[in-house]
Amino acid sequence: MNCVYLLILISNLMFGIDKGNDKIDEIIAHHKKAIGYNALAEIESLVLVGEREICVSQYDTCFTDYYKEVRKRPELFYYESETLGHKVYEGYDGKNNWSNIGGDFEYNSDYFNINRFKANLDGLVYMYNKSWIRDSKLIEGEEKVLELDIYTEHNQQIYVRLNPKTYLIISILFENYPGYRAYTSEYIFSKYKKVKKVKVPFKEEFISKGELFSVIEYHKILINQEFENEMFKKAAHVN
């Protein structure tokens, strides 16, 4: 759901580059403090409630849906959405994945795991620990941004931009074909709020090939709420 979760999924494509840059060390130290890095391991359950706007460029139209996600360790998952009066329920109860829209969707542990959500928060630290960050620079402009240069073994260039005052991530840009800016995927994060010691972006935008594809705005994010395992079963939501 959150697009924003790709950082851990691309980890198998990365290769190591020697660390030893004191400036980068300092940036990551500030970033870890800013997001509440030490509290991330304490996340046992998660609720995401919000609205998602999806734009279809070929039809020059956008539509908005309501959705809710609930995750509980290790991999319990529940999702609901409503678009133009059409309701969708999906989930995984620890044994079975289910859906109300004809057939069960394919199970993927990366999709259900809370770590997929955390990738938006600790993905940069993960890449730093793997020594994939090559360089950093301060970009002057109407608003200054701190840009980190990351490179993959498949020649994929990644740029992560941070606010130089707060050290929170502003955007992540994946350049799938170096030098061809038209073939990029960019995630933009804003409206950070603190939830249980963790700084979380309440707004996420996804831009594909230079065009806005989706905007997710959370109304509510809850961490470590109590849930009975029954709520993740199909019988609790689908007659």
Side-chain angles (χ1 to χ4, degrees), residues 88-131:
V88 175
Y89 304 97
E90 297 176 340
Y92 178 68
D93 60 14
K95 294 182 179 179
N96 301 302
N97 48 292
W98 55 267
S99 174
N100 74 320
I101 54 175
D104 296 331
F105 59 92
E106 184 178 353
Y107 172 75
N108 183 323
S109 61
D110 286 329
Y111 184 84
F112 296 106
N113 203 295
I114 282 176
N115 289 331
R116 184 170 181 265
F117 168 79
K118 287 172 54 188
N120 290 320
L121 301 171
D122 66 5
L124 180 58
V125 178
Y126 184 87
M127 288 190 285
Y128 165 77
N129 289 337
K130 291 292 185 179
S131 301

Side-chain angles (χ1 to χ4, degrees), residues 43-59:
I43 297 178
E44 294 295 329
S45 70
L46 175 72
V47 178
L48 305 171
V49 179
E51 289 185 349
R52 176 183 55 185
E53 182 181 57
I54 298 177
C55 297
V56 184
S57 59
Q58 58 263 46
Y59 298 109

Side-chain angles (χ1 to χ4, degrees), residues 31-167:
H31 173 67
K32 290 172 71 173
K33 183 177 180 180
I35 64 174
Y37 179 78
N38 292 336
L40 292 176
E42 300 172 7
I43 297 178
E44 294 295 329
S45 70
L46 175 72
V47 178
L48 305 171
V49 179
E51 289 185 349
R52 176 183 55 185
E53 182 181 57
I54 298 177
C55 297
V56 184
S57 59
Q58 58 263 46
Y59 298 109
D60 193 27
T61 187
C62 298
F63 62 88
T64 301
D65 67 2
Y66 158 86
Y67 79 88
K68 176 180 180 180
E69 282 187 44
V70 182
R71 301 171 186 269
K72 180 180 177 181
R73 288 192 188 277
E75 293 176 354
L76 299 180
F77 173 84
Y78 170 70
Y79 161 75
E80 67 181 58
S81 70
E82 182 173 354
T83 306
L84 302 176
H86 181 67
K87 296 182 179 181
V88 175
Y89 304 97
E90 297 176 340
Y92 178 68
D93 60 14
K95 294 182 179 179
N96 301 302
N97 48 292
W98 55 267
S99 174
N100 74 320
I101 54 175
D104 296 331
F105 59 92
E106 184 178 353
Y107 172 75
N108 183 323
S109 61
D110 286 329
Y111 184 84
F112 296 106
N113 203 295
I114 282 176
N115 289 331
R116 184 170 181 265
F117 168 79
K118 287 172 54 188
N120 290 320
L121 301 171
D122 66 5
L124 180 58
V125 178
Y126 184 87
M127 288 190 285
Y128 165 77
N129 289 337
K130 291 292 185 179
S131 301
W132 297 332
I133 302 174
R134 301 195 303 178
D135 198 8
S136 66
K137 65 180 178 180
L138 186 65
I139 299 176
E140 301 285 350
E142 189 173 331
E143 292 187 9
K144 293 181 180 180
V145 295
L146 192 57
E147 184 176 86
L148 299 179
D149 178 350
I150 300 159
Y151 198 69
T152 78
E153 65 180 352
H154 294 290
N155 300 321
Q156 183 182 45
Q157 184 73 52
I158 300 174
Y159 298 100
V160 177
R161 290 187 170 184
L162 300 92
N163 182 316
K165 294 181 180 179
T166 65
Y167 291 93

Side-chain angles (χ1 to χ4, degrees), residues 10-23:
I10 65 170
S11 63
N12 291 332
L13 302 178
M14 300 287 193
F15 73 103
I17 298 171
D18 288 339
K19 252 194 301 203
N21 187 319
D22 291 341
K23 188 175 181 181

